[in-house]
Amino acid sequence: MGGTVAGRHESKLLWASRPALWALTRVTMSRPFGPLRRVPKLGWVARDPTLIRAVLNDHEHFTLLGEGGVGHLWEQVLGPYVTRLFDGPGHADLRRRARDLFTEDNSAALVERAAGPVYADVTERLTDGELVDVAAAARLVVGRLMADLLGLRLPPGSPDSAYLETFAAGERLAALALDTTASTELPPERIAAAKEIVATLTADVPDAFEHAGPDTLLGRCRESGITLEEASGLASLLLVAGTETAAGAMARTVALLHDTGQQGRLRADPALLRDAVREGLRVTTPAPVIGRHVSADVTVAGRRLLRDERILLVTYAADNLAGGFDLTRPYDPRSRQLWFGAGRHLCLGAPVARAEIARMVDAVHAPGRPYRIVSRTYARKVMIPSYGSLVVRLE
Ligand code: HEM
């Protein structure tokens, strides 16, 4: 897709976010790279979808705790209880109790309750001939959703700026992981800053956990036998995992439909919405690299990986090797849902993310006329490639 309009914009997005990420995706997608290779300073790097899935499902030899895994970052910020909750029997038990926290149905309802008015406003302003910044609207959607999930006591009618601040705090928290591709050991000042953000954003969790109704996340946590400590940890994790990823995917999917000239096909056949969301997630792969620590010696694809080494799973490359954004592409069992990971850490919020993206694509298509991208900027120095702005208007 590199030579197409859509491919060029996606490439610029990756470069603007982190040139090192751009380089990693280019190198791993080149044919000679092969399925698995050792790269100086980075350790093992994998780009084959089947191999990546096998690593993510092999909990005997790989862990996300320890150098190289995201759990290692969180352990330093949230404390040692992360070790118990993020891997091993404690994690399996928590995931069992968390099984029904986000279903397709309750996620669609949650997105509508938290952000329905933002989507309605996008459709209305477009219909009125106004310019709409889809990237800004996406940040507002996520800010409102996070405020709902965290039980933040923002009074009804709070200005957009209050929700955008919630988004920005999630973004600052995710920035904690910037420059950790080569090492997940954090400097003390970064740990202190992250602890402060977590404390502010989860300040209302204990109260909401006690009183919130069963239609809220924290109320459902309480009723599923999840403890307050676990719910607080989960809340912090949701913020990091679901803030920039979802906002970025919303705007990038709207851009891909425009840039590949496939928006008309979707308008003509709204049943393709599910495919648009799936293709948007595949091509953007918002969490482009997943890290793991090797916890025991193991042979993978004929190579010997040693205990305490690290491996980067470049899901972006694995997902994009199949080709560019195509609404008619059949479901591919190899990549399946690799953009949400695999195995026991498979994204807990996948139904929420899908609902957010589907609703944004729908909001832009609802006026029933073609839209044009008037201007765009790429977000710089961010963990997850995103549009800083994506201004659209109806033709
Ligand atoms: C397009 C948006 C999203 C993408 C691409 C995405 C992707 C991922 C990936 C790849 C993982 C696995 C990480 C690993 O194995 O190291 C993950 C985990 C997770 N995600 Fe998402 N995510 C998205 C949105 C969300 C949202 C909206 C939420 C919550 C509302 C969320 C909550 C979580 C949680 C809690 C985990 C950790 C699960 C565990 O370790 O058991 N994510 N996500």
Side-chain angles (χ1 to χ4, degrees):
M1 159 155 127
T4 62
V5 175
R8 279 198 295 278
H9 285 300
E10 279 291 306
S11 184
K12 285 183 188 169
L13 270 174
L14 260 62
W15 172 268
S17 70
R18 288 180 280 155
L21 172 66
W22 176 86
L24 184 65
T25 57
R26 290 300 108 170
V27 171
T28 45
M29 285 180 75
S30 68
R31 191 183 292 270
F33 190 85
L36 175 70
R37 185 184 275 219
R38 194 203 273 278
V39 176
K41 293 206 180 122
L42 295 183
W44 294 100
V45 177
R47 72 115 193 252
D48 177 74
T50 309
L51 189 152
I52 290 179
R53 187 180 306 284
V55 168
L56 289 173
N57 276 292
D58 180 353
H59 306 297
E60 298 214 337
H61 301 99
F62 300 96
T63 170
L64 54 58
L65 299 171
E67 169 63 47
V70 72
H72 183 226
L73 292 174
W74 287 107
E75 198 182 329
Q76 296 165 72
V77 176
L78 297 177
Y81 80 90
V82 167
T83 317
R84 184 166 42 82
L85 283 190
F86 268 24
D87 232 349
H91 177 264
D93 182 45
L94 174 59
R95 282 297 296 240
R96 190 182 44 73
R97 282 173 288 143
R99 199 178 40 216
D100 294 329
L101 285 186
F102 297 119
T103 62
E104 296 298 327
D105 283 350
N106 74 22
S107 298
L110 163 72
V111 168
E112 204 51 45
R113 175 180 70 210
V118 182
Y119 292 117
D121 188 54
V122 166
T123 304
E124 197 179 310
R125 282 165 51 215
L126 283 175
T127 309
D128 288 349
E130 289 181 34
L131 295 173
V132 172
D133 182 346
V134 175
R139 289 192 287 269
L140 186 54
V141 163
V142 174
R144 291 180 70 123
L145 190 87
M146 286 300 157
D148 188 299
L149 292 176
L150 297 170
L152 287 185
R153 269 186 306 227
L154 290 171
S158 290
D160 289 353
S161 56
Y163 297 101
L164 289 171
E165 175 45 33
T166 308
F167 179 89
E171 200 170 31
R172 285 199 294 277
L173 200 54
L176 154 87
L178 274 174
D179 311 322
T180 56
T181 312
S183 166
T184 47
E185 196 70 50
L186 294 173
E189 62 279 7
R190 247 199 236 189
I191 298 179
K195 280 188 170 164
E196 205 177 306
I197 301 171
V198 169
T200 310
L201 285 176
T202 57
D204 294 338
V205 167
D207 188 57
F209 182 80
E210 207 173 314
H211 301 112
D215 59 333
T216 65
L217 172 75
L218 292 166
R220 280 203 296 279
C221 280
R222 184 187 61 230
E223 301 201 341
S224 316
I226 291 169
T227 65
L228 174 58
E229 185 190 51
E230 290 168 335
S232 303
L234 209 54
S236 316
L237 199 60
L238 295 182
L239 258 174
V240 189
T243 301
E244 287 179 303
T245 45
M250 279 185 255
R252 286 166 79 186
T253 304
V254 168
L256 282 166
L257 278 158
H258 170 274
D259 296 340
T260 58
Q262 295 180 61
Q263 51 163 316
R265 194 180 283 174
L266 177 58
R267 254 190 313 281
D269 182 3
L272 289 172
L273 181 59
R274 274 170 67 107
D275 305 84
V277 172
R278 191 183 65 235
E279 275 295 278
L281 281 163
R282 181 183 67 80
V283 170
T284 62
T285 307
V289 181
I290 300 177
R292 286 293 186 265
H293 181 87
V294 183
S295 53
D297 296 1
V298 60
T299 301
V300 178
R303 312 295 302 269
R304 193 74 183 146
L305 278 58
L306 301 179
R307 189 188 156 158
D308 289 337
E309 289 186 324
R310 63 211 303 282
I311 182 165
L312 293 179
L313 310 168
V314 188
T315 45
Y316 183 90
D319 294 340
N320 276 280
L321 283 170
F325 184 94
D326 181 355
L327 280 179
T328 59
R329 182 182 297 285
Y331 168 81
D332 180 355
R334 263 165 51 95
S335 55
R336 220 179 307 162
Q337 287 200 64
L338 214 45
W339 41 92
F340 285 129
R344 62 159 70 130
H345 295 287
L346 179 75
C347 178
L348 190 67
V352 182
R354 280 194 292 264
E356 287 175 286
I357 302 165
R359 193 65 181 81
M360 184 60 89
V361 170
D362 186 53
V364 173
H365 283 72
R369 283 166 38 211
Y371 60 92
R372 186 161 58 85
I373 296 178
V374 179
S375 68
R376 64 180 109 195
T377 57
Y378 314 104
R380 302 208 164 268
K381 296 202 177 109
V382 284
M383 193 56 202
I384 305 294
S386 300
Y387 280 107
S389 65
L390 185 79
V391 180
V392 308
R393 71 150 25 126
L394 294 188
E395 295 271 24

